[in-house]
Amino acid sequence: MFKLLFHRKKPHKQNVAEKEIPSTSHQSIPDASVAENGQKKKRKWRHLCCSSQTDSDAEAESNTVKTQKKCRWFLFKFWKKLHKQNVAEKEIPSTSHQSVACGGKIIESQTGTIDCFGFPNIGNTCYMNSCLQSLLNIEEFIRDIRRQEVLWNTDPEAQLLRRLIDVRDCHESTDYGLKDHHLRAFKKAFSSQAPEYTGSAQKDAHEFLTLFLNEVKRLAPHLERNAALLGQSYTCPVEEHHIFKMENMRTCKSCGHQSSQQEDFTSLSLDLVPEGSIINMLETYLKEQEIEFRCDCGGTASELKSSFDTLPRVLILHLKRFGFTQTYNIQKVDDPVRLQRDLVVPSNQGGGCYSLVSIISHYGGTESGHYICSSVHPEESQHSTSDRWLTYNDAQVLHTTGSAACEEQQRSAYMLFYKRNF
């Protein structure tokens, strides 16, 4: 009898197994609709069983056969109830997948998946999840926000900082329902300042990160006034870790007159150099260029040279993979770029040595796509030589190494986070 019962329910077990494997095309945790579908299937099965007993053949069956059918039906309901309880107890579906599918491409993992550190996709929010993973990887940035909690915790205007810390506090949890709640609260707080992010439309990760850092920076004067009233001081975490100054020096080719202008940046956007490296792209950006400019002497040609005036603790480089064709259509550039793990960046006040700690990659085209993030393992110390990294594909997290991430994402790397060593 048990053999017959479980032989009949084998397709159902296969369906349940398929639901336990997260789909990369649907980037969120199974919701109530899955349970509802399960109830519909259950009602359909009961209907079939009942109807089979109401036809003429069923009426002709003996009492012994009817008793056996009722027994099988009772055992099936009992088994299904236990099975549903086991599935409900699992916050994160287990999976034996050793790769991540993104935009039709496969990223091989080094080992397997882990249950914590991931973020559920709450509606085309892979851009937000990837940026949050990179920011949370900057421990000093989060620490400087947290240590000033007394200044922003009860301030209505600083809701975004509170929501960010809520997300950080559940980062290592396997309770994906809790993470879903805090991510929605964070997105709502961010959307209150950037209304275009209210819906579930796909967005650009670099644009989101820039707006977020600018919003945290915008709060600084307000929190500084609050701190002064309490006899304290406030340090803007964006100013402390991400802001750097670029100097643009213009030199007239006719009279040699020079003029300079400084500008604050939170990231540097670099043109792609096909088959080139990050160092090549930086050198191209800092290279002297000829521009048209009318000087007081009457000259119209000048040279413009950009340079770092100050260096940040975290240097964010944005690779321009989206541009316009000659007919003004947007296109994506998938040219490979050699990703250096270490950079030496010159500045007017001395150079700085940087190490790569996070990569945000974009898979897909201009109409649709998907973001993932690869970062140094949260438990890894800055000077460790084990090279443990994690790849975050929303809720799915895979072990990898920094070397593998740099090799696999040469054609997809979109944003690079470098932390200054000294």
Side-chain angles (χ1 to χ4, degrees):
M1 180 173 66
F2 279 95
K3 182 177 180 182
L4 177 60
L5 170 62
F6 287 99
H7 177 72
R8 293 178 67 181
K9 294 310 297 174
K10 182 177 180 181
H12 174 76
K13 291 167 65 178
Q14 292 175 349
N15 291 336
V16 172
E18 291 173 357
K19 291 177 183 178
E20 290 181 346
I21 301 177
S23 169
T24 54
S25 61
H26 181 76
Q27 298 297 330
S28 61
I29 297 177
D31 54 17
S33 62
V34 175
E36 183 181 352
N37 291 334
Q39 293 294 333
K40 290 180 179 179
K41 291 181 179 179
K42 180 176 179 181
R43 289 195 295 269
K44 182 179 180 182
W45 174 256
R46 182 183 291 118
H47 172 73
L48 291 175
C49 290
C50 294
S51 62
S52 65
Q53 294 180 9
T54 58
D55 58 22
S56 58
D57 293 335
E59 293 175 355
E61 289 180 343
S62 66
N63 292 333
T64 302
V65 175
K66 291 180 179 180
T67 302
Q68 291 176 349
K69 286 187 175 183
K70 290 181 179 179
C71 183
R72 288 199 299 267
W73 175 242
F74 171 78
L75 289 172
F76 164 68
K77 291 196 294 182
F78 179 73
W79 167 81
K80 189 169 183 180
K81 180 179 179 181
L82 290 178
H83 181 73
K84 288 175 66 177
Q85 290 176 348
N86 292 334
V87 172
E89 290 174 357
K90 296 181 180 179
E91 292 292 342
I92 307 173
S94 61
T95 175
S96 59
H97 282 347
Q98 298 297 317
S99 60
V100 185
C102 298
K105 299 184 180 181
I106 301 296
I107 301 175
E108 298 297 333
S109 67
Q110 293 292 318
T111 51
T113 60
I114 59 177
D115 291 338
C116 60
F117 298 124
F119 287 142
N121 191 306
I122 58 175
N124 286 326
T125 53
C126 55
Y127 66 90
M128 183 180 78
N129 290 348
S130 297
C131 290
L132 286 175
Q133 294 288 9
S134 294
L135 287 175
L136 296 182
N137 191 50
I138 311 300
E139 297 179 0
E140 297 81 1
F141 174 75
I142 300 298
R143 179 197 63 205
D144 284 355
I145 295 177
R146 190 187 294 277
R147 70 180 178 84
Q148 302 180 100
E149 184 173 358
V150 67
L151 299 177
W152 51 258
N153 189 35
T154 58
D155 193 320
E157 292 192 28
Q159 183 179 192
L160 187 62
L161 294 179
R162 291 197 300 276
R163 301 312 176 207
L164 176 65
I165 295 302
D166 288 342
V167 172
R168 171 61 186 89
D169 288 342
C170 70
H171 189 215
E172 300 179 18
S173 173
T174 57
D175 186 348
Y176 273 57
L178 178 66
K179 290 184 174 182
D180 183 282
H181 170 74
H182 286 312
L183 286 170
R184 291 183 186 276
F186 172 85
K187 186 172 183 290
K188 182 179 179 181
F190 178 77
S191 300
S192 66
Q193 302 300 324
E196 63 271 25
Y197 285 80
T198 302
S200 59
Q202 298 186 55
K203 296 294 184 180
D204 181 77
H206 178 246
E207 179 187 76
F208 168 81
L209 182 64
T210 301
L211 289 174
F212 171 78
L213 294 177
N214 287 342
E215 178 59 23
V216 175
K217 183 183 176 184
R218 185 192 67 82
L219 289 171
H222 173 73
L223 294 176
E224 286 172 358
R225 289 191 295 269
N226 290 352
L229 294 175
L230 297 174
Q232 300 180 18
S233 61
Y234 174 77
T235 301
C236 177
V238 175
E239 290 277 0
E240 191 75 5
H241 296 278
H242 297 284
I243 294 290
F244 58 96
K245 295 183 181 295
M246 296 296 296
E247 182 181 54
N248 296 318
M249 179 68 73
R250 183 190 61 81
T251 304
C252 177
K253 298 184 69 173
S254 298
C255 67
H257 175 73
Q258 292 184 326
S259 61
S260 65
Q261 182 180 14
Q262 289 187 344
E263 187 177 358
D264 287 349
F265 286 82
T266 55
S267 64
L268 199 64
S269 297
L270 303 177
D271 292 319
L272 290 183
V273 177
E275 304 295 336
S277 65
I278 298 301
I279 292 178
N280 297 146
M281 296 164 68
L282 267 175
E283 291 174 344
T284 300
Y285 185 92
L286 301 175
K287 186 178 180 180
E288 200 169 58
Q289 304 176 16
E290 289 193 7
I291 61 171
E292 291 186 5
F293 183 85
R294 180 171 294 277
C295 181
D296 292 340
C297 71
T300 57
S302 295
E303 291 180 341
L304 182 68
K305 181 174 177 56
S306 298
S307 61
F308 286 91
D309 189 55
T310 62
L311 293 174
R313 292 183 179 179
V314 179
L315 177 62
I316 302 175
L317 299 179
H318 165 232
L319 310 186
K320 295 181 181 179
R321 289 200 175 272
F322 295 94
F324 290 93
T325 64
Q326 293 181 349
T327 56
Y328 300 102
N329 293 320
I330 299 178
Q331 67 174 357
K332 185 184 176 184
V333 182
D334 294 317
D335 292 338
V337 175
R338 296 198 304 275
L339 305 179
Q340 270 96 5
R341 301 289 298 278
D342 299 293
L343 289 179
V344 177
V345 182
S347 78
N348 299 336
Q349 302 179 20
C353 296
Y354 290 84
S355 294
L356 183 65
V357 296
S358 187
I359 305 170
I360 294 179
S361 294
H362 179 270
Y363 291 85
T366 57
E367 298 297 328
S368 64
H370 182 61
Y371 289 99
I372 68 169
C373 169
S374 295
S375 296
V376 175
H377 196 291
E379 299 173 357
E380 197 79 346
S381 63
Q382 183 175 357
H383 303 291
S384 174
T385 58
S386 63
D387 198 28
R388 289 196 304 160
W389 280 46
L390 295 177
T391 294
Y392 304 93
N393 180 25
D394 288 333
Q396 189 179 44
V397 183
L398 301 103
H399 290 283
T400 187
T401 64
S403 300
C406 289
E407 181 67 25
E408 294 163 354
Q409 299 177 33
Q410 293 186 39
R411 292 183 177 273
S412 57
Y414 187 56
M415 296 171 65
L416 307 173
F417 293 70
Y418 285 90
K419 184 184 291 187
R420 187 172 183 175
N421 298 321
F422 57 87

